[in-house]
Amino acid sequence: MGKIGYLGPKATFTHQAVQSVFPNEDYIPYKTIPACIDAVAKGDVSYGVVPLENTLEGSVNLTLNYLIHETRMPIVGEIVLPIRQHLMVHPQNEGINERLEAVYSHPHAIAQCHKFLYQHLSHADIHETSSTAWAAQYVQAHPERKIAAIANELAAAEYGLTIAKGDIHDYSHNHTRFVVLHKELDAFVPFSKEDGEKTTLLVQLPADDQSGSLHQVLSAFAWRRLNLSKIESRPMKTGLGNYFFIIDIEQKLDDVLIPGAISELEALGCTVSILGTYAYQVME
């Protein structure tokens, strides 16, 4: 498969998503989402995996903005990963939950575990870090301190930490969508099973936007019975009130229905781009 780039560091949820679909490959972590996307564009890696959306936090704006405004890399697959957060400590500090002085983690992980932290660790200082994996690494490097990290089981294994309390997240249905990027729109992604298919479009309304334009756009899909799983407006960065729309259709690009819808939108004066047509897998 070649090298697989992902938003690092090691043992993040993105790393976990990569391992679930691309086992035993050469993984290259990148510090930022743009760096990972650019690595795909330059051919430094064959595939790139970056987060796109979280159940609780919503869309990852940096991913969307960079894919749309900077480096347009096709989406060739999607990995949906359950987000399970655990409280972990250095093995030397096992059993000191009530005496923990501080907890470290990424801001999203801290927010996802608010109830647990409030009810059980309100006495501890909360410190935000650049990633859950960085927090785990920090705890591993400071066994003399009564501190803990919130991270996933991969981080616990990677940095030799003990899970003091598992599944401390507030919502059990929390998932993150990760997109797989490749230079070629039809690149193969080795899913063990396919749970569904999507086509993602970027739609810009006519410059002389009139009342009912969005309704006409949606009607092009509705009468063809094309199910939309998501529609999101994004600023065009050309001025206040100027937006385009990202639309997910629950099927792969076919020869008739989706091309017909695109032709109808273009006839209305819209500009339409295909960001990807791909399968997705929901991990257990």
Side-chain angles (χ1 to χ4, degrees):
M1 298 299 298
K3 296 179 179 179
I4 315 296
Y6 69 95
L7 176 63
K10 292 173 64 176
T12 57
F13 283 103
T14 313
H15 189 193
Q16 190 174 356
V18 168
Q19 287 187 333
S20 68
V21 173
F22 298 95
N24 306 314
E25 296 293 339
D26 188 6
Y27 309 130
I28 309 295
Y30 289 90
K31 290 184 178 180
T32 66
I33 289 170
C36 184
I37 296 173
D38 285 344
V40 179
K42 292 184 292 187
D44 295 338
V45 295
S46 299
Y47 296 84
V49 179
V50 293
L52 182 70
E53 183 183 15
N54 176 261
T55 304
L56 306 181
E57 307 298 332
S59 295
V60 180
N61 292 334
L62 182 56
T63 298
L64 286 173
N65 288 339
Y66 207 78
L67 281 176
I68 292 166
H69 296 293
E70 302 296 335
T71 304
R72 193 73 64 86
M73 280 292 104
I75 300 171
V76 297
E78 179 180 287
I79 308 163
V80 182
L81 187 74
I83 302 301
R84 300 179 60 195
Q85 305 283 10
H86 311 302
L87 185 75
M88 53 194 68
V89 299
H90 194 282
Q92 293 184 16
N93 292 324
E94 189 173 355
I96 66 163
N97 289 19
E98 301 303 320
R99 293 182 288 120
L100 285 173
E101 298 171 353
V103 177
Y104 292 77
S105 196
H106 187 275
H108 286 181
I110 291 170
Q112 291 162 10
C113 302
H114 169 76
K115 292 180 182 178
F116 176 86
L117 294 173
Y118 177 73
Q119 294 172 2
H120 301 283
L121 291 171
S122 59
H123 61 279
D125 294 329
I126 307 299
H127 297 277
E128 295 183 350
T129 62
S130 59
S131 70
T132 54
W134 189 97
Q137 188 176 18
Y138 183 82
V139 169
Q140 189 273 337
H142 295 83
E144 76 283 358
R145 297 188 58 196
K146 295 181 176 63
I147 59 177
I150 297 174
N152 60 33
E153 60 269 26
L154 184 61
E158 179 71 28
Y159 298 108
L161 301 183
T162 298
I163 295 179
K165 179 67 175 177
D167 295 329
I168 65 171
H169 39 270
D170 296 341
Y171 299 96
S172 60
H173 58 268
N174 188 20
H175 289 75
T176 294
R177 296 170 59 200
F178 298 90
V179 287
V180 184
L181 308 174
H182 193 279
K183 281 187 174 183
E184 304 297 331
L185 186 65
D186 58 352
F188 170 73
V189 178
F191 290 129
S192 58
K193 64 184 179 73
E194 294 184 1
D195 292 304
E197 297 177 328
K198 289 182 182 178
T199 298
T200 299
L201 302 181
L202 176 66
V203 179
Q204 181 179 332
L205 297 181
D208 58 342
D209 185 19
Q210 300 179 4
S211 299
S213 293
L214 181 57
H215 173 74
Q216 289 179 311
V217 167
L218 297 179
S219 294
F221 300 104
W223 75 262
R224 291 179 172 85
R225 298 189 178 278
L226 290 169
N227 187 44
L228 307 184
S229 59
K230 181 179 181 181
I231 177 169
E232 178 178 357
S233 63
R234 301 290 303 171
M236 290 175 58
K237 300 185 182 294
T238 58
L240 286 174
N242 296 333
Y243 295 91
F244 53 77
F245 296 88
I246 299 171
I247 297 175
D248 285 347
I249 306 169
E250 281 291 316
Q251 72 171 59
K252 271 194 173 181
L253 184 64
D254 63 338
D255 295 328
V256 177
L257 293 176
I258 295 178
I262 292 174
S263 295
E264 183 174 335
L265 297 184
E266 291 174 339
L268 293 171
C270 297
T271 301
V272 184
S273 301
I274 299 174
L275 295 183
T277 183
Y278 50 92
Y280 64 85
Q281 181 173 357
V282 181
M283 312 307 298
E284 301 299 332

